[in-house]
């Protein structure tokens, strides 16, 4: 017989009243309050705490910088920028030049800002303020000079649309003719990426009705494809007759001649393609500027002293190798050639000497150097930085070998393809041409045709300075 189980009486649980309010009623109220609180926290509080809009800035000009309330915000090439509610003063700049200003009024949207981005758009009107186009051209030229030295691009080193941006800016400024500037810019195409960018830029100029000129795009395409053919120019030799002056200069008469040689037109040969050039009467020094001569310059111009190298680097006048291994002194005469100076330093020396003497001294153009070097074929390739005077006084010493020599010509990659040369003042942001090779180069690899290239701030132990003096 099953034992009977005893059931224990349990008192039921009852929620207490809240005052006179039944539990069901105040629980409902609490649930509603919780829902309202969550709603407030998610849909209202973010907008109350952080009111504003995400603003996109647009302009027909490329890469316009935005300064908001005195602080740099970004550029038109960036993403949306969150701007808090209220009135804000905006200044728009390009290449450091103010192109406009504005007061931006941002309202205070509140509802669901956590989930819905409130946006706005500000269009910046392009104004052709003084100096703006010139800065656009110079920045484009500087960028092209840098990127033309890179012969291939990958995902980690992308080529920016320099030509396209320039064309878009020219259209935004309502220019009508950019022929000479565009022709120079097109002379820096060295890769397929740059070529494609140039072609796109020409489409932009066409749509805007802007007149332009370029190096033949068909010729550029053929060059990059390796199908540009060969040159067949009549080669004219320079006048090599010279006279030695009592103060160590060789005098040359004006001459017109061909610089370069006929050959297949390839990316490797464009620096030595034949180009017809002319010189005026000039005098060129027998040897390089010496350490002692440069010491006299530095003594009167402390900006170029070695202990000021930090400022020289900051000003992009030299690099960290400026005067490395060189001890300048005016107390004793060192006839060693000055080395480890930048092109900028060499230019400053020439200007100082010209002002001091009242006679114009400068670096030779490539054509002047070529004319003088063509008459030095009887001289052996210099295998040291010092060349003793053989007493013949037939031509300058160490034109080939010794030290690479600065010139006053800018390096424009395709200039000879177009039958041109460029003075450094025309292309102030381009690299500079150096000539003659140095004592460490293989003599068989350097001729009067050889073109070396250096950045203007670079200092090298294998580069020196030879002077040209203009005849009066």
């Amino acid at each position: 017989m099953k034992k009977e189980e005893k059931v224990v009486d349990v008192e039921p649980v009852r929620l207490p009243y809240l005052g006179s309010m039944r539990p069901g009623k105040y629980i409902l109220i609490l649930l509603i309050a919780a829902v309202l609180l969550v709603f407030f926290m998610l849909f209202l509080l973010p907008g109350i705490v952080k009111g504003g809009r995400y603003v996109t800035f647009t302009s027909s000009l490329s890469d316009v910088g935005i300064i908001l309330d005195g602080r740099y915000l970004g550029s038109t090439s960036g993403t949306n920028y969150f701007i808090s509610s209220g009135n804000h003063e905006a200044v728009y700049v390009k290449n450091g030049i103010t192109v406009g200003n504005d007061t931006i009024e941002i309202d205070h949207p509140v509802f669901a800002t956590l989930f819905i981005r409130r946006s706005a758009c500000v269009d910046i009107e392009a104004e052709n303020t003084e100096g703006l186009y010139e800065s656009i051209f110079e920045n484009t030229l500087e960028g092209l000079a840098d990127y033309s030295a890179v012969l291939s691009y990958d995902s980690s080193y992308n080529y920016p649309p320099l030509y396209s941006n320039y064309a878009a800016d020219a259209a935004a400024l309502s220019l009508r003719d950019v022929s000479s500037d565009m022709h120079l810019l097109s002379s820096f195409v060295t890769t397929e990426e740059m070529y494609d960018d140039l072609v796109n830029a020409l489409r932009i100029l066409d749509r805007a009705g802007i007149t332009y000129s370029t190096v033949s795009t068909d010729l550029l395409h053929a060059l990059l494809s390796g199908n540009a053919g060969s040159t067949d120019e009549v080669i004219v030799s320079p006048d090599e007759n010279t006279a030695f002056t009592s103060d160590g200069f060789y005098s040359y008469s004006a001459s017109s001649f061909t610089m370069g040689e006929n050959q297949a037109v390839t990316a490797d040969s464009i620096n030595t393609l034949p180009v017809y050039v002319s010189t005026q009467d000039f005098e060129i020094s027998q040897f390089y500027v010496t350490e002692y001569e440069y010491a006299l310059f530095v003594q009167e111009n402390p900006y170029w002293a070695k202990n000021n190298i930090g400022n020289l680097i900051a000003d992009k006048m030299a690099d960290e190798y400026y005067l490395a291994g060189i001890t300048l002194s005016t107390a004793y005469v060192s006839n060693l050639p000055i080395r480890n100076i930048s092109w900028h330093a060499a230019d400053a020396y020439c200007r100082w000497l010209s002002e001091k003497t009242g006679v114009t001294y400068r670096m030779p153009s490539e054509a002047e150097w070529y004319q003088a070097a063509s008459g030095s074929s009887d001289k052996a390739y210099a295998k040291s930085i010092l060349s003793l005077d053989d007493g013949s006084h037939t031509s300058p010493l160490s034109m080939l070998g010794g030290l690479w020599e600065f010139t006053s010509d800018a390096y424009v990659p395709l200039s000879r393809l177009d039958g041109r040369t460029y003075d450094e003042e025309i292309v102030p942001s381009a690299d500079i041409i150096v000539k003659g090779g140095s004592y460490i180069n293989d003599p068989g690899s350097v001729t009067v045709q050889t073109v070396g290239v250096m950045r203007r701030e670079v200092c090298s132990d294998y580069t020196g300075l030879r002077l040209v003096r203009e005849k009066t």
Side-chain angles (χ1 to χ4, degrees):
M1 182 175 179
K2 188 176 179 181
K3 184 177 180 181
E4 183 179 349
E5 294 184 2
K6 185 175 180 181
V7 178
V8 179
D9 292 335
V10 178
E11 185 149 349
V13 177
R14 291 183 175 84
L15 293 175
Y17 276 66
L18 188 62
S20 60
M21 190 180 302
R22 292 183 294 106
K25 188 173 182 179
Y26 69 70
I27 289 176
L28 177 61
I29 292 174
L30 288 175
L31 288 175
I32 293 173
V35 170
L36 291 175
L37 179 62
V38 171
F39 179 84
F40 175 79
M41 296 290 289
L42 295 178
F43 290 89
L44 297 177
L45 184 61
I48 294 172
V49 173
K50 188 181 179 181
R53 288 183 179 271
Y54 288 89
V55 180
T56 300
F57 293 87
T58 61
S59 176
S60 52
L61 286 171
S62 63
D63 292 331
V64 176
I66 305 137
I67 300 175
L68 195 70
D69 298 329
R71 299 181 64 181
Y72 180 72
L73 180 67
S75 74
T76 52
S77 62
T79 57
N80 295 344
Y81 301 101
F82 182 82
I83 299 178
S84 60
S85 57
N87 293 337
H88 302 272
E89 296 301 319
V91 177
Y92 309 118
V93 296
K94 183 173 177 64
N95 302 337
I97 296 174
T98 300
V99 297
N101 53 73
D102 193 11
T103 298
I104 302 175
E105 298 180 6
I106 304 295
D107 60 357
H108 197 133
V110 174
F111 182 72
T113 58
L114 189 63
F115 306 100
I116 304 173
R117 294 183 64 170
R118 301 302 199 277
S119 61
C121 183
V122 174
D123 184 49
I124 304 170
E125 294 186 9
E127 298 181 20
N128 194 359
T129 56
E130 183 178 357
L132 177 58
Y133 171 73
E134 289 76 11
S135 72
I136 291 171
F137 173 73
E138 286 299 327
N139 276 274
T140 303
L141 189 59
E142 183 175 358
L144 290 172
D146 287 339
Y147 281 97
S148 65
V150 183
L151 300 182
S152 63
Y153 298 92
D154 54 32
S155 58
S156 63
Y157 199 90
N158 293 322
Y159 165 75
L162 296 172
Y163 287 112
S164 296
N165 285 345
Y166 167 80
D169 289 341
L173 298 179
S174 301
L175 302 182
R176 297 271 60 89
D177 192 333
V178 294
S179 296
S180 60
D181 289 345
M182 195 64 194
H183 202 108
L184 173 57
L185 296 179
S186 70
S187 298
F188 285 86
V189 173
T190 55
T191 62
E192 290 287 352
E193 289 85 354
M194 297 181 79
Y195 174 79
D196 292 340
D197 183 27
L198 174 65
V199 171
N200 185 61
L202 300 186
R203 295 193 191 103
I204 295 172
L205 296 177
D206 285 333
R207 288 196 297 268
I210 299 175
T211 302
Y212 61 84
S213 171
T214 68
V215 176
S216 168
T217 53
D218 290 339
L219 185 56
L220 289 176
H221 186 267
L223 173 67
L224 295 172
S225 302
N227 300 310
S230 302
T231 59
D232 188 20
E233 302 287 339
V234 176
I235 303 298
V236 179
S237 298
D239 180 0
E240 299 175 6
N241 293 324
T242 184
F244 185 66
T245 67
S246 59
D247 58 349
F249 279 74
Y250 289 86
S251 178
Y252 290 86
S253 299
S255 181
S256 295
F257 52 92
T258 308
M259 189 166 61
E261 55 192 351
N262 286 316
Q263 57 196 302
V265 181
T266 67
D268 295 329
S269 72
I270 53 177
N271 290 342
T272 55
L273 295 178
V275 58
Y276 194 68
V277 295
S278 296
T279 62
Q280 301 299 317
D281 294 348
F282 69 95
E283 295 176 337
I284 193 166
S285 60
Q286 182 184 30
F287 198 55
Y288 311 116
V289 172
T290 66
E291 291 180 354
Y292 175 74
E293 290 169 326
Y294 193 78
L296 295 174
F297 158 69
V298 171
Q299 185 179 53
E300 295 187 14
N301 299 270
Y303 175 79
W304 291 102
K306 190 173 182 178
N307 60 14
N308 193 44
I309 190 171
N311 288 326
L312 292 173
I313 293 173
D315 295 340
K316 297 183 178 180
M317 292 289 105
D319 64 15
E320 65 271 24
Y321 298 106
Y322 180 68
L323 293 179
I326 306 293
T327 301
L328 296 179
S329 174
T330 58
Y332 64 90
V333 176
S334 170
N335 288 321
L336 287 173
I338 188 63
R339 305 166 312 286
N340 275 325
I341 63 171
S342 66
W343 183 92
H344 291 297
D347 184 55
Y349 175 85
C350 293
R351 294 176 187 273
W352 167 79
L353 187 60
S354 299
E355 183 177 350
K356 195 170 185 66
T357 62
V359 178
T360 300
Y361 289 89
R362 54 177 175 78
M363 287 170 275
S365 67
E366 185 185 3
E368 289 168 336
W369 187 95
Y370 188 95
Q371 183 176 354
S374 295
S376 298
S377 57
D378 60 325
K379 297 285 196 299
Y381 191 93
K383 296 299 292 181
S384 73
I385 61 174
L386 272 181
S387 291
L388 299 178
D389 186 358
D390 60 7
S392 64
H393 293 163
T394 57
S395 60
L397 302 174
S398 300
M399 296 297 284
L400 290 179
L403 297 172
W404 287 97
E405 300 178 27
F406 292 120
T407 75
S408 60
D409 279 9
Y411 178 66
V412 177
L414 305 185
S415 60
R416 292 199 182 189
L417 189 66
D418 205 34
R420 304 186 182 198
T421 59
Y422 289 93
D423 181 84
E424 57 86 15
E425 291 183 349
I426 300 176
V427 200
S429 54
D431 295 341
I432 211 73
I433 291 175
V434 292
K435 298 287 289 184
S438 78
Y439 67 91
I440 66 167
N441 294 115
D442 177 5
S445 67
V446 180
T447 69
V448 293
Q449 319 288 357
T450 304
V451 173
V453 182
M454 283 183 66
R455 297 193 66 86
R456 300 189 188 206
E457 69 274 17
V458 167
C459 303
S460 170
D461 201 35
Y462 308 109
T463 306
L465 169 62
R466 189 188 299 269
L467 296 178
V468 156
R469 181 171 64 192
E470 293 187 0
K471 290 185 177 181
T472 56

